[in-house]
């Protein structure tokens, strides 16, 4: 009889996971660790809206997709890719659909008016690297290569109307992407750009080669903290985001969590749960 040894997979962390942990440890627990959180999670309209726009932009920048090359084709692609989950009703959904159509129209018109000299070399590329205690995963919206050999990481933001260079440089996800892309394109100058899709505003910064080394050291420490957290010992802390959080009924079961001032529906959910 042959026996197969079971080898535990190394845990993975992503920019979204790390960002959520820094924002609220309990929300991280209910989202990624404790299965009780699944029953409380609700679809979010901003996720649906962002997913739709990302899908259309991926098709537009894909040279193999010849069905989305004009403004009208791109607007039609919004209808084809539309995700309806999470909207409060038909009126809100229609308003967001029109907003999405206009955003894509403006984006494509601007791109076609001033074509870029860069060549898109990757779309929605999942990259990963070994960080010792964990694997770092990151899905990059777009990677462009410029004639001078430099590599540009491009990240779309559907919820922002403006972006500054300091925001790009300090963005955790962009620093993670820099760490990952550097391994794929060693020795290349790397740029990072965040695009506010709804307005077309964008900001670009250049990363120094040693930026990734310093960030990687800090990330290893943070990752080990996340993986080593004793979730049963984490005490819920009231923050402004609690007002709209799906998991308040779970946190409210802790005797030290103050639910005063939260909406009546939250309190009712807590009693019903």
């Amino acid at each position: 009889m042959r026996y197969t040894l079971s080898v535990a997979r190394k845990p993975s962390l992503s920019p979204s996971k790390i960002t959520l942990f820094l924002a609220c440890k309990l929300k991280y627990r209910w989202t990624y660790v404790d299965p009780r959180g699944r029953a409380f999670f609700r679809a979010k309209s901003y996720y649906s809206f962002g997913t739709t726009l990302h899908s259309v932009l991926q098709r537009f920048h894909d040279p193999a997709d010849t069905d989305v090359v004009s403004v009208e084709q791109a607007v039609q692609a919004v209808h084809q890719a539309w995700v309806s989950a999470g909207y409060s009703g038909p009126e809100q959904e229609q308003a967001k659909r029109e907003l999405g159509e206009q955003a894509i129209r403006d984006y494509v018109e601007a791109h076609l008016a001033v074509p870029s000299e860069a060549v898109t070399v990757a779309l929605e590329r999942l990259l990963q690297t070994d960080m010792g205690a964990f694997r770092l995963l990151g899905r990059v919206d777009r990677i462009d290569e410029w004639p001078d050999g430099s590599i540009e990481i491009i990240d779309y933001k559907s919820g922002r109307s403006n972006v500054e260079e300091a925001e790009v440089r300090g963005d955790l996800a962009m620093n993670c992407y820099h760490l990952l892309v550097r391994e794929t394109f060693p020795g290349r100058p790397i740029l990072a750009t965040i695009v506010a899709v709804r307005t077309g505003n964008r900001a670009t910064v250049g990363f120094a080669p040693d930026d990734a080394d310093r960030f990687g050291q800090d990330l290893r420490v943070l990752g080990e903290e996340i993986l080593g957290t004793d979730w049963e010992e984490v005490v819920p802390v009231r923050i402004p985001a609690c007002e709209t959080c799906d998991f308040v009924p779970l946190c409210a079961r802790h005797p030290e969590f103050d639910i005063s001032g939260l909406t009546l529906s939250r309190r009712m959910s807590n009693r019903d749960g």
Side-chain angles (χ1 to χ4, degrees), residues 49 78-79 82 91-104:
F49 185 72
V78 173
H79 291 272
W82 189 255
E91 292 184 1
Q92 185 199 34
E93 182 175 358
Q94 180 59 29
K96 294 294 285 187
R97 189 193 301 268
E98 292 174 2
L99 182 64
E101 291 174 357
Q102 189 60 54
I104 290 297

Side-chain angles (χ1 to χ4, degrees), residues 113-180:
V114 186
S116 174
E117 295 181 356
V119 176
T120 297
V121 295
L123 292 164
E124 294 293 331
R125 174 74 64 83
L126 179 64
L127 302 175
Q128 61 179 294
T129 189
D130 193 305
M131 299 295 289
F134 63 96
R135 290 180 304 126
L136 176 65
L137 306 179
R139 187 175 296 277
V140 183
D141 290 340
R142 190 171 115 220
I143 301 174
D144 282 2
E145 182 178 20
W146 286 87
D148 64 0
S150 60
I151 299 297
E152 183 178 10
I153 305 164
I154 300 169
D155 192 48
Y156 306 124
K157 299 295 185 184
S158 59
R160 292 190 189 182
S161 58
N162 193 29
V163 58
E164 304 290 340
E165 289 185 7
E167 294 177 287
V168 181
R169 188 169 299 281
D171 188 84
L172 186 142
M174 296 304 281
N175 279 274
C176 287
Y177 299 152
H178 174 215
L179 191 66
L180 294 164

Side-chain angles (χ1 to χ4, degrees), residues 59-255:
R59 293 190 62 188
F60 175 68
H61 285 286
D62 184 353
D65 192 335
T66 57
D67 291 330
V68 185
V69 296
S70 69
V71 173
E72 292 309 316
Q73 286 175 324
V75 171
Q76 181 61 33
V78 173
H79 291 272
Q80 297 169 351
W82 189 255
V83 180
S84 295
Y87 293 99
S88 61
E91 292 184 1
Q92 185 199 34
E93 182 175 358
Q94 180 59 29
K96 294 294 285 187
R97 189 193 301 268
E98 292 174 2
L99 182 64
E101 291 174 357
Q102 189 60 54
I104 290 297
R105 181 182 296 278
D106 293 343
Y107 179 97
V108 173
E109 285 179 347
H111 186 85
L112 294 177
V114 186
S116 174
E117 295 181 356
V119 176
T120 297
V121 295
L123 292 164
E124 294 293 331
R125 174 74 64 83
L126 179 64
L127 302 175
Q128 61 179 294
T129 189
D130 193 305
M131 299 295 289
F134 63 96
R135 290 180 304 126
L136 176 65
L137 306 179
R139 187 175 296 277
V140 183
D141 290 340
R142 190 171 115 220
I143 301 174
D144 282 2
E145 182 178 20
W146 286 87
D148 64 0
S150 60
I151 299 297
E152 183 178 10
I153 305 164
I154 300 169
D155 192 48
Y156 306 124
K157 299 295 185 184
S158 59
R160 292 190 189 182
S161 58
N162 193 29
V163 58
E164 304 290 340
E165 289 185 7
E167 294 177 287
V168 181
R169 188 169 299 281
D171 188 84
L172 186 142
M174 296 304 281
N175 279 274
C176 287
Y177 299 152
H178 174 215
L179 191 66
L180 294 164
V181 169
R182 185 184 68 163
E183 292 194 2
T184 305
F185 300 93
R188 303 282 199 96
I190 296 180
L191 308 171
T193 297
I194 290 179
V195 180
V197 180
R198 289 194 292 111
T199 60
N201 291 327
R202 63 174 60 205
T204 302
V205 301
F207 281 120
D210 59 350
D211 286 344
D213 295 327
R214 291 194 298 268
F215 177 76
Q217 293 173 2
D218 294 338
L219 191 63
R220 286 183 176 89
V221 174
L222 178 57
E224 291 171 1
E225 177 187 349
I226 295 173
L227 298 176
T229 299
D230 183 347
W231 301 105
E232 296 299 330
E233 296 298 320
V234 177
V235 177
V237 177
R238 177 76 174 273
I239 59 176
C242 290
E243 180 62 34
T244 57
C245 180
D246 293 333
F247 305 118
V248 164
L250 285 169
C251 291
R253 295 173 182 176
H254 195 286

